[in-house]
Amino acid sequence: MNTIEFFLEPSKENYHTLRVKSQDGSFRYIHSKYFPTKESSYLQDIVNPEKYDVCIILGIGLGYHLAYIADIIPFFKQIICIDINNYLSNATIPQQIQAIIHNPSIQLVFVNPDNLDQLRDLIQLQFIKGIQVIDHPASFHAFPQLFSSIKKIIQQIVEKAISNHLTTSLFAYRYCKNALINLNRLPDCLPVAQYRAIHANQPCIIVAPGPSLDDTLYHLKDHQHNCIIITVDSALKALHAHSIIPDYIVSIDPQPVVFAHLFTIQPNAHIITTLTAHPMIFSFPAIVYLNTHPICQLLEELYPRTIGSVDSRTGTVLGDAVSFALFAGCNPIAIAGADFSFPHFTTYACSTEYHRRYQLVHSRYTPLETKNMDYIIHASKRTVATGTFSRKNFIQYRDALDTMLPHDISIFHINPVLPLSHANVISIHNFLSLPQVSNYTKRENPRIFQPLSHTIHLHDVLTILDDKNTLHTILESSRVYNDTHIQRIHHLLYKR
């Protein structure tokens, strides 16, 4: 257990300074022993509100080094200050520092040194220009291991936020257009809220399209009646090739590529999707859930807890599939085909749409193996994890998935190359041999589901969207700024 031992000591300025017992057992001052306010200019040449609109400062201490930001707070969307202990409660510090610390625009985060991962839940970043992370040197010198770990977690949070931001910016119009088109199909959909705990304590396997899936499906084929099968859309063709019928298909992609995964198979299982997914998905029986898109949030305000959500906030279809399994009460849960890498220099499981596309480029002069290798080298940028080529965003996906896995449910990762740290590594044979799995037989669920037409009045939603101020707010929140895109959305609403 990391217990922070510290002392508030008087200085020559009639304010407290701070002395702590550092990680190496020695005592260090976090601020000047005699004149701590001299640190007030520390950030002057570092902080840059012109380039960044979010500033994260690692190390608070008694806050003397924060003095400069008093005049520039309005220029930031967020200022987040992080420390491993709250030293401020009984400290005598200047009024100016008190005002900064109690400013509602400043987020102070005091993280438990024994549970640094809680930062992932405490910090939500909202930026447009960029994010600046600043170290407080004295805090790092006193607690190098703790603050280095904090910095690593913050870097992962920032990378994920930037990735999500770029995705949202790139697809902002498509997300918004899809949501508006799909509103017309919403009354025919089933709300995910009705599926809460529907498979309580029933075993489940979640299928992703990684190369290791090929070995898994041969075993799963003869035991598909022993567990609930949830597949991401890109793995559906691989299941179909082995005559495996999933119970649920999760599909959230806003682009037409979902057509290639789904349409040629005509799946019988319900598709779990969200309002911003490609409209083609809604031509199948759909279980719909809400995500963070402004139009989804409008629906949640109008009809609280009616639709429900299994949005994992990971930005991945696999994350949402796991979120649905947890929501439905499945236990134990196995995850197959989630390699987060390119094992044996392969990209996707056989029979998947992505694998088929690589086969099409095979020729005498460019064999498939060469194409695969070219793609892996290019996509990974030579990133290697545990001796296997991977991609930076694959590692981010794995880390994001890890943080959402609960500790009170049995989670298994089947034949992983880069295993999830919060899951038990297992072979498909051993998973299917577990008593909870081998003694379970899938049966018809007697529950009767009501479509959303019973509770949602589409006319009311569209009337609200007819208000120009409301629509403008939604478009701005959706990051749709292009005039042509705005005109198209107005036309879309008018055309209905």
Short mmCIF file of all heavy atoms in Angstrom, two decimals, residues 65-88:
data_model
loop_
_atom_site.label_atom_id
_atom_site.label_comp_id
_atom_site.label_asym_id
_atom_site.label_seq_id
_atom_site.Cartn_x
_atom_site.Cartn_y
_atom_site.Cartn_z
N HIS A 65 2.87 26.64 -8.51
CA HIS A 65 3.25 26.68 -9.92
C HIS A 65 2.04 26.87 -10.85
O HIS A 65 2.21 27.04 -12.05
CB HIS A 65 3.98 25.39 -10.31
CG HIS A 65 3.21 24.14 -10.04
ND1 HIS A 65 2.89 23.73 -8.78
CD2 HIS A 65 2.68 23.20 -10.88
CE1 HIS A 65 2.21 22.60 -8.83
NE2 HIS A 65 2.06 22.26 -10.10
N LEU A 66 0.83 26.86 -10.29
CA LEU A 66 -0.38 27.06 -11.11
C LEU A 66 -0.77 28.53 -11.25
O LEU A 66 -1.71 28.85 -11.97
CB LEU A 66 -1.55 26.28 -10.50
CG LEU A 66 -1.36 24.78 -10.26
CD1 LEU A 66 -2.61 24.18 -9.62
CD2 LEU A 66 -1.04 24.07 -11.56
N ALA A 67 -0.05 29.43 -10.56
CA ALA A 67 -0.47 30.83 -10.49
C ALA A 67 -0.65 31.47 -11.86
O ALA A 67 -1.59 32.24 -12.08
CB ALA A 67 0.55 31.63 -9.67
N TYR A 68 0.20 31.13 -12.82
CA TYR A 68 0.15 31.79 -14.13
C TYR A 68 -1.15 31.52 -14.87
O TYR A 68 -1.60 32.35 -15.67
CB TYR A 68 1.35 31.33 -14.98
CG TYR A 68 1.31 31.88 -16.38
CD1 TYR A 68 1.54 33.23 -16.65
CD2 TYR A 68 1.04 31.04 -17.47
CE1 TYR A 68 1.49 33.73 -17.94
CE2 TYR A 68 0.99 31.53 -18.75
CZ TYR A 68 1.22 32.88 -18.99
OH TYR A 68 1.16 33.37 -20.26
N ILE A 69 -1.77 30.38 -14.63
CA ILE A 69 -2.96 30.04 -15.42
C ILE A 69 -4.20 30.83 -15.00
O ILE A 69 -5.24 30.75 -15.66
CB ILE A 69 -3.27 28.53 -15.38
CG1 ILE A 69 -3.68 28.08 -13.96
CG2 ILE A 69 -2.11 27.72 -15.89
CD1 ILE A 69 -4.12 26.64 -13.89
N ALA A 70 -4.10 31.61 -13.90
CA ALA A 70 -5.27 32.37 -13.43
C ALA A 70 -5.86 33.25 -14.52
O ALA A 70 -7.09 33.36 -14.65
CB ALA A 70 -4.88 33.20 -12.21
N ASP A 71 -4.99 33.88 -15.32
CA ASP A 71 -5.46 34.84 -16.33
C ASP A 71 -5.81 34.18 -17.66
O ASP A 71 -6.33 34.87 -18.55
CB ASP A 71 -4.39 35.91 -16.56
CG ASP A 71 -4.13 36.73 -15.30
OD1 ASP A 71 -5.08 36.94 -14.53
OD2 ASP A 71 -2.97 37.15 -15.10
N ILE A 72 -5.49 32.91 -17.82
CA ILE A 72 -5.73 32.28 -19.13
C ILE A 72 -6.73 31.14 -19.05
O ILE A 72 -6.92 30.41 -20.02
CB ILE A 72 -4.41 31.78 -19.75
CG1 ILE A 72 -3.71 30.78 -18.81
CG2 ILE A 72 -3.49 32.94 -20.09
CD1 ILE A 72 -2.47 30.16 -19.43
N ILE A 73 -7.38 30.99 -17.90
CA ILE A 73 -8.39 29.92 -17.75
C ILE A 73 -9.45 29.98 -18.85
O ILE A 73 -9.80 28.94 -19.43
CB ILE A 73 -9.03 29.96 -16.35
CG1 ILE A 73 -8.02 29.52 -15.29
CG2 ILE A 73 -10.27 29.06 -16.28
CD1 ILE A 73 -8.51 29.66 -13.86
N PRO A 74 -9.98 31.16 -19.21
CA PRO A 74 -11.05 31.21 -20.23
C PRO A 74 -10.62 30.73 -21.61
O PRO A 74 -11.46 30.44 -22.45
CB PRO A 74 -11.43 32.69 -20.27
CG PRO A 74 -10.95 33.25 -18.97
CD PRO A 74 -9.73 32.49 -18.64
N PHE A 75 -9.30 30.67 -21.85
CA PHE A 75 -8.82 30.27 -23.18
C PHE A 75 -8.79 28.75 -23.37
O PHE A 75 -8.52 28.27 -24.46
CB PHE A 75 -7.42 30.84 -23.43
CG PHE A 75 -7.38 32.34 -23.48
CD1 PHE A 75 -6.96 33.07 -22.38
CD2 PHE A 75 -7.80 33.03 -24.61
CE1 PHE A 75 -6.92 34.44 -22.41
CE2 PHE A 75 -7.77 34.41 -24.65
CZ PHE A 75 -7.33 35.13 -23.55
N PHE A 76 -9.06 28.01 -22.31
CA PHE A 76 -9.05 26.54 -22.38
C PHE A 76 -10.46 25.98 -22.22
O PHE A 76 -11.27 26.52 -21.48
CB PHE A 76 -8.17 25.96 -21.26
CG PHE A 76 -6.70 26.11 -21.50
CD1 PHE A 76 -5.99 27.15 -20.91
CD2 PHE A 76 -6.01 25.22 -22.32
CE1 PHE A 76 -4.63 27.28 -21.12
CE2 PHE A 76 -4.65 25.35 -22.54
CZ PHE A 76 -3.96 26.39 -21.94
N LYS A 77 -10.70 24.89 -22.92
CA LYS A 77 -11.94 24.14 -22.71
C LYS A 77 -11.86 23.34 -21.41
O LYS A 77 -12.85 23.18 -20.70
CB LYS A 77 -12.21 23.19 -23.88
CG LYS A 77 -12.63 23.86 -25.17
CD LYS A 77 -12.71 22.86 -26.31
CE LYS A 77 -13.89 21.93 -26.16
NZ LYS A 77 -15.16 22.60 -26.39
N GLN A 78 -10.67 22.82 -21.12
CA GLN A 78 -10.46 22.02 -19.91
C GLN A 78 -9.06 22.27 -19.36
O GLN A 78 -8.09 22.36 -20.12
CB GLN A 78 -10.59 20.52 -20.21
CG GLN A 78 -11.99 19.98 -20.37
CD GLN A 78 -11.95 18.49 -20.66
OE1 GLN A 78 -11.57 18.07 -21.74
NE2 GLN A 78 -12.34 17.67 -19.70
N ILE A 79 -8.96 22.39 -18.05
CA ILE A 79 -7.67 22.35 -17.36
C ILE A 79 -7.80 21.30 -16.27
O ILE A 79 -8.65 21.40 -15.39
CB ILE A 79 -7.29 23.71 -16.75
CG1 ILE A 79 -7.14 24.77 -17.85
CG2 ILE A 79 -5.99 23.60 -15.96
CD1 ILE A 79 -6.85 26.17 -17.32
N ILE A 80 -6.96 20.27 -16.35
CA ILE A 80 -7.04 19.14 -15.42
C ILE A 80 -5.72 19.04 -14.67
O ILE A 80 -4.64 18.99 -15.29
CB ILE A 80 -7.32 17.82 -16.16
CG1 ILE A 80 -8.62 17.94 -16.98
CG2 ILE A 80 -7.42 16.66 -15.18
CD1 ILE A 80 -8.85 16.78 -17.92
N CYS A 81 -5.77 19.06 -13.35
CA CYS A 81 -4.58 18.94 -12.52
C CYS A 81 -4.67 17.63 -11.72
O CYS A 81 -5.70 17.37 -11.09
CB CYS A 81 -4.45 20.13 -11.57
SG CYS A 81 -4.43 21.73 -12.42
N ILE A 82 -3.60 16.85 -11.75
CA ILE A 82 -3.63 15.50 -11.18
C ILE A 82 -2.54 15.35 -10.13
O ILE A 82 -1.40 15.81 -10.32
CB ILE A 82 -3.43 14.44 -12.28
CG1 ILE A 82 -4.53 14.58 -13.35
CG2 ILE A 82 -3.43 13.03 -11.71
CD1 ILE A 82 -4.28 13.73 -14.59
N ASP A 83 -2.87 14.71 -9.01
CA ASP A 83 -1.87 14.40 -7.99
C ASP A 83 -2.27 13.11 -7.28
O ASP A 83 -3.40 12.63 -7.43
CB ASP A 83 -1.72 15.54 -6.99
CG ASP A 83 -0.29 15.65 -6.46
OD1 ASP A 83 0.35 14.60 -6.25
OD2 ASP A 83 0.20 16.78 -6.29
N ILE A 84 -1.32 12.57 -6.51
CA ILE A 84 -1.55 11.30 -5.81
C ILE A 84 -2.01 11.53 -4.37
O ILE A 84 -2.23 10.57 -3.63
CB ILE A 84 -0.29 10.42 -5.82
CG1 ILE A 84 0.91 11.19 -5.24
CG2 ILE A 84 0.01 9.94 -7.23
CD1 ILE A 84 2.17 10.38 -5.12
N ASN A 85 -2.13 12.79 -3.96
CA ASN A 85 -2.59 13.09 -2.61
C ASN A 85 -3.11 14.53 -2.57
O ASN A 85 -2.60 15.39 -3.29
CB ASN A 85 -1.45 12.91 -1.60
CG ASN A 85 -1.95 12.91 -0.15
OD1 ASN A 85 -2.62 11.97 0.27
ND2 ASN A 85 -1.66 13.96 0.58
N ASN A 86 -4.09 14.78 -1.72
CA ASN A 86 -4.60 16.14 -1.54
C ASN A 86 -3.88 16.77 -0.34
O ASN A 86 -4.19 16.50 0.80
CB ASN A 86 -6.11 16.11 -1.31
CG ASN A 86 -6.70 17.51 -1.23
OD1 ASN A 86 -5.98 18.51 -1.28
ND2 ASN A 86 -8.01 17.59 -1.11
N TYR A 87 -2.93 17.63 -0.65
CA TYR A 87 -2.15 18.29 0.40
C TYR A 87 -2.77 19.63 0.81
O TYR A 87 -2.25 20.31 1.69
CB TYR A 87 -0.73 18.58 -0.10
CG TYR A 87 -0.01 17.40 -0.70
CD1 TYR A 87 0.11 17.25 -2.08
CD2 TYR A 87 0.59 16.44 0.11
CE1 TYR A 87 0.80 16.17 -2.63
CE2 TYR A 87 1.28 15.36 -0.43
CZ TYR A 87 1.37 15.24 -1.82
OH TYR A 87 2.05 14.18 -2.35
N LEU A 88 -3.86 20.02 0.19
CA LEU A 88 -4.35 21.40 0.28
C LEU A 88 -5.28 21.67 1.46
O LEU A 88 -5.51 22.83 1.81
CB LEU A 88 -5.10 21.75 -1.03
CG LEU A 88 -4.23 21.73 -2.29
CD1 LEU A 88 -5.10 21.62 -3.53
CD2 LEU A 88 -3.36 22.97 -2.36
#
